[in-house]
Coordinates of all heavy atoms in Angstrom, one line a residue:
A358 N 16.5 51.6 -54.4 CA 17.8 50.9 -54.5 C 17.6 49.3 -54.4 O 18.4 48.6 -55.1 CB 18.7 51.2 -53.3
I359 N 16.6 48.9 -53.8 CA 16.2 47.4 -53.7 C 15.4 46.9 -54.8 O 15.7 46.0 -55.6 CB 15.7 47.0 -52.3 CG1 16.6 47.3 -51.2 CG2 15.2 45.6 -52.3 CD1 16.1 47.2 -49.9
F360 N 14.2 47.6 -55.0 CA 13.1 47.0 -55.8 C 13.2 47.5 -57.3 O 12.5 47.1 -58.1 CB 11.7 47.3 -55.2 CG 11.5 46.5 -54.0 CD1 11.7 47.2 -52.8 CD2 11.2 45.1 -54.0 CE1 11.5 46.4 -51.6 CE2 11.0 44.4 -52.9 CZ 11.1 45.1 -51.7
N361 N 14.1 48.5 -57.5 CA 14.3 49.0 -58.9 C 15.5 48.5 -59.5 O 16.0 49.0 -60.6 CB 14.2 50.5 -59.0 CG 12.8 51.1 -58.8 OD1 11.8 50.4 -58.8 ND2 12.7 52.3 -58.4
T362 N 16.2 47.5 -58.9 CA 17.4 47.0 -59.4 C 17.3 45.5 -59.3 O 16.4 45.0 -58.6 CB 18.6 47.5 -58.5 OG1 18.5 47.0 -57.2 CG2 18.6 49.0 -58.4
P363 N 18.3 44.8 -59.8 CA 18.4 43.3 -59.6 C 18.5 42.8 -58.2 O 18.2 41.6 -57.9 CB 19.6 42.9 -60.5 CG 19.8 44.0 -61.4 CD 19.3 45.3 -60.8
M364 N 18.7 43.7 -57.3 CA 18.8 43.4 -55.9 C 17.5 42.9 -55.3 O 17.5 42.1 -54.4 CB 19.2 44.7 -55.1 CG 19.5 44.5 -53.6 SD 21.0 43.5 -53.3 CE 21.0 43.4 -51.6
K365 N 16.5 43.2 -56.0 CA 15.1 42.7 -55.6 C 15.0 41.1 -55.6 O 14.3 40.5 -54.7 CB 14.0 43.3 -56.4 CG 14.0 42.8 -57.9 CD 12.8 43.5 -58.6 CE 12.7 43.1 -60.1 NZ 11.7 43.8 -60.8
W366 N 15.7 40.5 -56.5 CA 15.6 39.1 -56.6 C 16.4 38.5 -55.4 O 16.0 37.4 -54.9 CB 16.3 38.6 -58.0 CG 15.5 39.1 -59.1 CD1 16.0 40.1 -60.0 CD2 14.2 38.8 -59.5 NE1 14.9 40.3 -61.0 CE2 13.9 39.6 -60.7 CE3 13.3 37.9 -59.0 CZ2 12.6 39.5 -61.3 CZ3 12.0 37.8 -59.7 CH2 11.7 38.6 -60.8
V367 N 17.5 39.1 -55.0 CA 18.2 38.6 -53.9 C 17.4 38.7 -52.6 O 17.3 37.8 -51.8 CB 19.5 39.4 -53.7 CG1 20.4 39.0 -52.4 CG2 20.5 39.2 -55.0
V368 N 16.8 39.9 -52.5 CA 15.9 40.2 -51.3 C 14.8 39.1 -51.2 O 14.3 38.7 -50.2 CB 15.4 41.6 -51.3 CG1 14.4 41.8 -50.3 CG2 16.6 42.5 -51.0
M369 N 14.2 38.9 -52.4 CA 13.0 38.0 -52.5 C 13.4 36.5 -52.2 O 12.6 35.8 -51.5 CB 12.4 38.0 -53.9 CG 11.7 39.3 -54.2 SD 11.1 39.4 -55.9 CE 10.0 38.0 -56.1
F370 N 14.5 36.0 -52.7 CA 14.8 34.6 -52.5 C 15.8 34.3 -51.3 O 15.9 33.2 -50.9 CB 15.4 34.1 -53.9 CG 14.4 34.0 -54.9 CD1 14.5 34.9 -55.9 CD2 13.5 33.0 -54.9 CE1 13.6 34.8 -57.0 CE2 12.5 32.9 -55.9 CZ 12.5 33.7 -57.0
A371 N 16.4 35.3 -50.8 CA 17.3 35.1 -49.6 C 16.6 34.4 -48.4 O 17.2 33.5 -47.8 CB 18.0 36.4 -49.2
P372 N 15.4 35.0 -48.0 CA 14.8 34.3 -46.9 C 14.4 32.7 -47.1 O 14.6 32.0 -46.2 CB 13.4 35.1 -46.7 CG 13.7 36.4 -47.3 CD 14.7 36.1 -48.4
L373 N 14.1 32.4 -48.4 CA 13.8 31.1 -48.8 C 15.0 30.3 -48.6 O 15.0 29.1 -48.1 CB 13.3 31.0 -50.2 CG 12.7 29.7 -50.6 CD1 11.5 29.2 -49.8 CD2 12.3 29.7 -52.1
G374 N 16.2 30.7 -49.1 CA 17.4 30.0 -48.9 C 17.9 29.8 -47.5 O 18.3 28.7 -47.1
V375 N 17.6 30.8 -46.7 CA 18.0 30.8 -45.2 C 17.2 29.7 -44.5 O 17.6 28.9 -43.8 CB 17.9 32.1 -44.6 CG1 18.1 32.0 -43.1 CG2 19.0 33.1 -45.1
V376 N 15.9 29.7 -44.8 CA 15.0 28.8 -44.1 C 15.3 27.3 -44.4 O 15.1 26.5 -43.6 CB 13.5 29.2 -44.3 CG1 12.9 28.7 -45.6 CG2 12.6 28.7 -43.2
F377 N 15.6 27.1 -45.7 CA 16.0 25.8 -46.1 C 17.3 25.2 -45.4 O 17.4 24.2 -44.9 CB 16.0 25.6 -47.6 CG 14.7 25.4 -48.3 CD1 14.4 26.3 -49.3 CD2 13.9 24.4 -48.0 CE1 13.1 26.1 -49.9 CE2 12.7 24.2 -48.6 CZ 12.3 25.0 -49.5
L378 N 18.3 26.3 -45.4 CA 19.5 25.9 -44.8 C 19.3 25.7 -43.3 O 20.0 24.8 -42.7 CB 20.5 27.1 -45.0 CG 21.9 26.9 -44.4 CD1 22.6 25.8 -44.9 CD2 22.7 28.2 -44.5
F379 N 18.5 26.5 -42.7 CA 18.2 26.4 -41.3 C 17.6 25.1 -40.9 O 18.0 24.4 -40.0 CB 17.2 27.6 -40.9 CG 17.0 27.8 -39.5 CD1 18.0 27.7 -38.5 CD2 15.8 28.0 -38.9 CE1 17.9 27.9 -37.2 CE2 15.6 28.3 -37.6 CZ 16.6 28.2 -36.7
G380 N 16.6 24.6 -41.7 CA 16.0 23.4 -41.4 C 17.0 22.2 -41.5 O 16.8 21.2 -40.8
A381 N 17.9 22.3 -42.5 CA 18.8 21.2 -42.7 C 20.0 21.1 -41.7 O 20.5 20.0 -41.4 CB 19.4 21.4 -44.1
K382 N 20.4 22.3 -41.1 CA 21.6 22.3 -40.2 C 21.3 22.6 -38.8 O 22.3 22.6 -38.0 CB 22.4 23.6 -40.8 CG 23.0 23.3 -42.2 CD 24.0 22.2 -42.2 CE 24.7 22.1 -43.6 NZ 25.6 20.9 -43.7
I383 N 20.0 22.8 -38.4 CA 19.8 23.2 -37.0 C 20.2 22.1 -36.0 O 20.7 22.4 -34.9 CB 18.2 23.5 -36.8 CG1 18.0 24.0 -35.5 CG2 17.4 22.2 -37.1 CD1 16.7 24.6 -35.2
N384 N 20.2 20.9 -36.3 CA 20.6 19.8 -35.4 C 22.0 19.8 -35.1 O 22.5 19.4 -34.0 CB 20.3 18.4 -35.9 CG 18.8 18.2 -35.9 OD1 18.1 18.7 -35.0 ND2 18.2 17.4 -36.9
S385 N 22.9 20.4 -36.0 CA 24.3 20.5 -35.8 C 24.7 21.9 -35.3 O 25.9 22.1 -35.0 CB 25.1 20.2 -37.1 OG 24.7 21.2 -38.1
M386 N 23.8 22.8 -35.1 CA 24.1 24.1 -34.6 C 23.9 24.2 -33.1 O 23.2 23.3 -32.5 CB 23.0 25.2 -35.1 CG 23.1 25.5 -36.6 SD 21.8 26.7 -37.1 CE 22.1 26.9 -38.8
R387 N 24.6 25.1 -32.4 CA 24.4 25.4 -31.1 C 23.1 26.2 -31.0 O 22.7 26.8 -31.9 CB 25.5 26.2 -30.5 CG 26.8 25.4 -30.4 CD 28.1 26.3 -30.0 NE 27.8 26.9 -28.7 CZ 27.8 28.2 -28.4 NH1 27.7 29.1 -29.5 NH2 27.6 28.7 -27.2

Side-chain angles (χ1 to χ4, degrees):
I359 293 174
F360 293 100
N361 291 341
T362 68
M364 185 68 179
K365 68 181 179 182
W366 300 109
V367 177
V368 169
M369 287 172 61
F370 289 106
L373 189 62
V375 171
V376 80
F377 278 124
L378 178 66
F379 191 40
K382 297 294 185 180
I383 188 169
N384 289 328
S385 60
M386 292 180 182
R387 294 173 60 245

